[in-house]
Amino acid sequence: MNVSLIRQLYLYAVAIISLGLIIVGTSTFVNMALRAFVFKAADENSYMMQNKPAMPYFSETAMNNLEKNAALTESEQREVRSWLEEVKKSSEYDNKYDPIVADRSRQAAESLAMILVGLPLYLYHWSVIRKDHLKA
């Protein structure tokens, strides 16, 4: 195998891979835009999952007393108060946090990174390929 054939294979391989990065990044952007502006119900499941309440953790005796509607001991009452405080803090955070916006931001960053890496690679390698073909 001569060096020019290996060089050509390398150039075409990198051009194809970088073109793939551009295609995937661009298609993810288009997908995200379609879900944001056309198919708005596509992200509803993320909202439903976000609104699930947290499962409490209590000691076994506290759970038994709660189930029997029996009086709780002082330590069990502290457990319940602690859990209620955690639920309140969590719900305050949940009210500020939008899972759809966070997911779209993450996808946009990934897509833009693919395009920013793929585009210069593709343009450089394709220009080298074109120069080689013009020389030949």
Side-chain angles (χ1 to χ4, degrees), residues 14-117:
V14 172
I16 289 171
I17 291 169
S18 57
L19 187 59
L21 283 173
I22 295 167
I23 290 169
V24 169
T26 304
S27 67
T28 303
F29 265 133
V30 170
N31 179 16
M32 190 174 34
L34 286 172
R35 285 186 293 137
F37 301 113
V38 179
F39 303 108
K40 295 179 181 180
D43 292 327
E44 288 300 315
N45 64 335
S46 295
Y47 284 116
M48 291 183 338
M49 296 304 289
Q50 182 65 21
N51 295 327
K52 300 258 187 232
M55 277 302 279
Y57 173 77
F58 302 123
S59 65
E60 192 172 323
T61 55
M63 288 299 289
N64 289 336
N65 286 341
L66 281 172
E67 288 173 0
K68 296 175 187 174
N69 290 327
L72 297 174
T73 65
E74 185 65 34
S75 68
E76 292 170 345
Q77 289 176 7
R78 279 194 304 272
E79 286 180 27
V80 171
R81 279 194 296 272
S82 172
W83 175 73
L84 288 172
E85 287 174 19
E86 288 178 23
V87 167
K88 183 179 178 184
K89 288 178 187 174
S90 176
S91 67
E92 288 171 1
Y93 174 76
D94 288 348
N95 290 337
K96 295 176 189 173
Y97 173 76
D98 187 349
I100 303 300
V101 171
D103 187 49
R104 286 184 187 150
S105 298
R106 181 189 52 76
Q107 285 182 343
E110 290 173 358
S111 301
L112 189 58
M114 284 186 214
I115 292 170
L116 290 176
V117 168

